[in-house]
Amino acid sequence: MNDHLRFLDGRASVRQFDCHAILSNDLIREMLEHASYAPSSNNFQPWRVMVVKNKEKQRELRKLSADQPQVETASAVFLLFGDKQAYDLDWWQAFHLEKKVVAKEDVTYRIDRIRRYLALHPEDKEIEGLRLDVGLFAMNLMQVVRAFGYDSVPMRGADFDGIKTYLKVPSDWEPILMLPVGKALQAGYPHVRKPVEEFTEIVE
């Protein structure tokens, strides 16, 4: 267990990448498949991903990202979006029946339960829910990337409207995160964290 914990603790945001390192399409798909096991509200899985691994396009993305060099030198830039249209009960029913994880006789009850939940928390099918669900996916992806021997840096400092226009991203996709991924040339910044006592209260 200590090895697993050391691995999880060892994630750091890397900003210096080997610009010659290649990330194959097959490996990208494999990373995303593993990352997709992240939890999401009622398993709606609202994440949408665009991966850019063309250096000319990465240079343009760098211009739209406050000239941060890791956007250009990364092996690939993962752009993570959220799609509010994913919170669709018709899709939920068809998908879960097809995968045989919900019995046909239980569908009405399960859908009614989701409706009641969303009535209590309508924000969970809006941008707030997308940020939570895609954020969980993003954290999973960052650790999966490390498991394959690569590193990453989560970024929000970008002109996402400009990026969406440049890459012709669907207008209703909400930008959540940019994640340059590559082979580290230099370790990320060391972790400095508050002690647990400062942010935790245990109720017994």
Side-chain angles (χ1 to χ4, degrees), residues 46-52 57 61 64 77-84 130 158-178:
W47 39 77
R48 303 290 181 263
V49 183
M50 185 170 286
V51 184
V52 178
K57 288 182 168 61
L61 293 183
L64 294 164
V77 178
F78 290 63
L79 294 158
L80 309 187
F81 300 90
D83 181 4
K84 285 188 284 188
L130 291 177
D159 174 5
F160 285 110
D161 287 338
I163 289 170
K164 286 176 65 175
T165 299
Y166 175 63
L167 294 176
K168 298 180 174 59
V169 175
S171 61
D172 55 350
W173 287 12
E174 295 284 351
I176 306 297
L177 198 69
M178 171 186 280

Side-chain angles (χ1 to χ4, degrees), residues 88-167:
D88 181 297
L89 287 170
D90 290 334
W91 172 87
W92 187 97
Q93 175 176 318
F95 178 80
H96 289 85
L97 284 172
E98 177 192 349
K99 300 299 181 183
K100 295 181 170 55
V101 293
V102 175
K104 194 170 184 180
E105 58 270 22
D106 294 331
V107 166
T108 300
Y109 166 75
R110 292 286 297 274
I111 287 180
D112 182 61
R113 192 177 70 176
I114 294 171
R115 283 198 177 104
R116 284 187 280 116
Y117 168 77
L118 291 174
L120 285 171
H121 297 283
E123 70 278 6
D124 281 6
K125 57 180 180 177
E126 300 296 333
I127 185 64
E128 185 173 333
L130 291 177
R131 285 173 177 159
L132 174 60
D133 287 339
V134 182
L136 292 167
F137 174 85
M139 189 68 248
N140 224 33
L141 178 58
M142 283 185 272
Q143 293 291 16
V144 167
V145 161
R146 293 184 62 239
F148 281 96
Y150 289 79
D151 284 285
S152 65
V153 54
M155 293 175 53
R156 283 282 298 169
D159 174 5
F160 285 110
D161 287 338
I163 289 170
K164 286 176 65 175
T165 299
Y166 175 63
L167 294 176

